[in-house]
Amino acid sequence: SDEFLTVQLAQRKLAQIWDREMPATEESTTVRRQLFRWCEDNPPELDEEIASALAPLVSIRELCQSSGANLLVATTPMPWQVSRDASNTREARATYGIPKSALWSSEAPFQRLSAYCREKSIRCVVTLRAFQAADDPTDLYLRRSPGLSAEGHELYSRLLAEAILRNDAGQEPADESQPIIPSKGEQLEWAQ
């Protein structure tokens, strides 16, 4: 059903008729609500799960290198990490357990990913601040889905192109000295 929007639409319409929430795929609503728990401002202890999720990046990097390619890991913040008003509808948020008008300000998930990538010599671009700095961050996301809008895709693709071109030109990443959480002293590459 993830590949066919018609199936998702039919499932949502049936759920409205039955007056209950129904996920777009066969996974339970509970499972969907667990997807973003590690990004909350006060997340539960998920060290083992996060380490397990990050571990394949090393194999992916090695696979890329074996074919003469370089791996670039890039982030896309969720709407509730950028603005209280972005994708602020029941369809976009409630299915994932995100409260209406919530704004999660924790940068720890980006810090953790960046630190792991740095430790494993994998280039990583964090786009959070560029998304937050947009003239109207709500325009970067779809209204009824946490996905990127055309404007969001344009910004994201521009940031990725700049990072790729900067690397190909042999330039150092921009703003690499800027700490994300000063108390931890972690350094990130921020797309501007």
Side-chain angles (χ1 to χ4, degrees):
S1 69
D2 285 343
E3 300 298 324
F4 299 100
L5 294 177
T6 305
V7 174
Q8 290 179 16
L9 177 64
Q11 287 176 331
R12 286 192 182 124
K13 291 296 179 189
L14 284 172
Q16 288 173 351
I17 291 169
W18 293 330
D19 193 30
R20 66 180 177 90
E21 189 175 307
M22 181 176 175
T25 65
E26 292 181 15
E27 66 192 10
S28 71
T29 301
T30 304
V31 170
R32 281 184 163 232
R33 289 183 174 171
Q34 300 300 317
L35 289 175
F36 300 105
R37 294 205 55 216
W38 79 295
C39 299
E40 294 175 357
D41 287 337
N42 297 301
E45 186 61 40
L46 298 169
D47 286 345
E48 289 180 26
E49 293 85 348
I50 294 168
S52 176
L54 295 175
L57 290 176
V58 173
S59 297
I60 294 169
R61 182 200 62 213
E62 291 168 357
L63 180 63
C64 289
Q65 289 173 338
S66 71
S67 62
N70 293 318
L71 175 63
L72 173 67
V73 173
T75 65
T76 307
M78 297 305 290
W80 45 86
Q81 293 175 302
V82 174
S83 167
R84 292 184 186 286
D85 298 320
S87 300
N88 198 21
T89 60
R90 184 177 182 276
E91 301 91 342
R93 290 183 177 229
T95 302
Y96 296 97
I98 311 301
K100 186 168 178 65
S101 301
L103 178 61
W104 292 352
S105 58
S106 174
E107 294 180 343
F110 302 102
Q111 177 186 27
R112 191 157 193 176
L113 174 64
S114 181
Y116 181 84
C117 287
R118 188 174 41 260
E119 175 188 321
K120 302 299 181 184
S121 301
I122 300 170
R123 288 194 65 223
C124 181
V125 177
V126 177
T127 62
L128 175 66
R129 291 191 182 147
F131 273 70
Q132 291 172 330
D135 289 336
D136 188 358
T138 60
D139 289 341
L140 302 176
Y141 298 93
L142 300 172
R143 182 165 152 53
R144 298 183 180 273
S145 164
L148 294 177
S149 67
E151 293 88 354
H153 279 287
E154 188 280 325
L155 173 60
Y156 187 58
S157 62
R158 183 175 48 80
L159 296 170
L160 289 179
E162 289 171 2
I164 292 166
L165 291 174
R166 195 170 48 240
N167 185 52
D168 287 346
Q171 297 175 7
E172 289 298 314
D175 219 10
E176 193 170 348
S177 64
Q178 185 176 9
I180 185 166
I181 299 178
S183 63
K184 297 272 187 175
E186 295 290 326
Q187 304 292 313
L188 292 178
E189 177 179 339
W190 289 96
Q192 297 294 327

